[in-house]
Amino acid sequence: TQTEISKEISSCLFNLTLNRSHRVTIAEAAMSELVVLAEGNDLDTIRLSVGAIGNLAEEIDTHPIILSICAQNVVLLRLSHPSIDVNREATRACANLLSSKEVCAHFIVHGVDDLAVVSSSTTCEECCYYSVLSFRKLCLAQNAHQALIEKALRSIIGLLRLQDLKTRKHAAAILRDLSASCFETSIFL
């Protein structure tokens, strides 16, 4: 069936993207197909396709390709998927994509809300970690501070209560950076 074929393709592409040495070539050849697969209905196909995009996003040289095809939009779309496994892959892909300034601008407008929802509504430690890592990377951009305060502050504070020390440290660092910015800008006035 088509579902089985899509699942097999997404599985193969996911496995191929584990090899760092060919990621740019794979992104050029397969990014459009990964987006189509990630937009599908089969849980495994979605998870593996979004995971493959996340793997490719570990290599910053793939980011222009990802942006040119607007693959970041399907990643953001999948943040609201009901499956924790899909959420985990989507939050990981976000954290990897946010290593690029070009991606940060898009996420400030379109991604902070979805990341805040995932981080405050899940019990998955990995989703929380990747969400806080995304917030941390966004926090490096001064122009993201207002969006983080308005849309994600409650979630960031919630992440401080988790057991995972790495997540709590990142959340505390975000609060530190946001509080320091209030003396540098007028966003709080």
Side-chain angles (χ1 to χ4, degrees):
T1 68
Q2 183 58 43
T3 300
E4 292 167 340
I5 293 169
S6 295
K7 197 178 300 188
E8 187 68 24
I9 293 168
S10 61
S11 177
C12 292
L13 289 173
F14 178 86
N15 288 333
L16 282 170
T17 62
L18 292 172
N19 183 337
R20 292 182 182 275
S21 62
H22 301 294
R23 285 185 174 160
V24 172
T25 303
I26 294 166
E28 290 170 342
M31 188 58 65
S32 295
E33 184 63 24
L34 285 170
V35 169
V36 170
L37 291 166
E39 291 173 335
N41 295 318
D42 179 67
L43 177 64
D44 288 331
T45 301
I46 295 167
R47 177 182 56 81
L48 291 164
S49 300
V50 173
I53 294 169
N55 291 343
L56 291 171
E58 289 176 8
E59 177 64 47
I60 202 160
D61 291 340
T62 66
H63 292 193
I65 300 161
I66 291 168
L67 289 171
S68 73
I69 296 174
C70 298
Q72 72 278 8
N73 293 334
V74 77
V75 170
L76 290 173
L77 172 71
R78 291 312 184 187
L79 285 172
S80 61
H81 195 277
S83 166
I84 288 177
D85 293 331
V86 173
N87 293 158
R88 180 175 38 253
E89 295 298 342
T91 55
R92 183 175 68 85
C94 289
N96 291 340
L97 282 167
L98 285 166
S99 297
S100 292
K101 291 178 184 175
E102 298 80 15
V103 178
C104 284
H106 183 80
F107 271 69
I108 291 167
V109 176
H110 302 288
V112 174
D113 288 325
D114 293 326
L115 283 166
V117 169
V118 169
S119 65
S120 62
S121 65
T122 187
T123 57
C124 174
E125 284 187 14
E126 287 177 276
C127 290
C128 290
Y129 176 73
Y130 290 126
S131 293
V132 80
L133 197 57
S134 295
F135 292 143
R136 185 85 170 101
K137 289 180 178 183
L138 281 169
C139 198
L140 297 174
Q142 187 78 26
N143 62 333
H145 287 199
Q146 186 166 348
L148 287 169
I149 291 166
E150 292 174 0
K151 300 176 181 179
L153 187 60
R154 185 178 307 268
S155 297
I156 294 165
I157 290 171
L159 292 168
L160 290 167
R161 298 184 193 110
L162 298 180
Q163 295 296 316
D164 183 61
L165 187 59
K166 291 185 297 185
T167 299
R168 291 172 49 206
K169 283 182 178 181
H170 281 298
I174 293 166
L175 287 178
R176 179 199 62 219
D177 293 348
L178 292 175
S179 69
S181 74
C182 74
F183 296 109
E184 299 168 8
T185 65
S186 61
I187 64 171
F188 292 98
L189 302 178

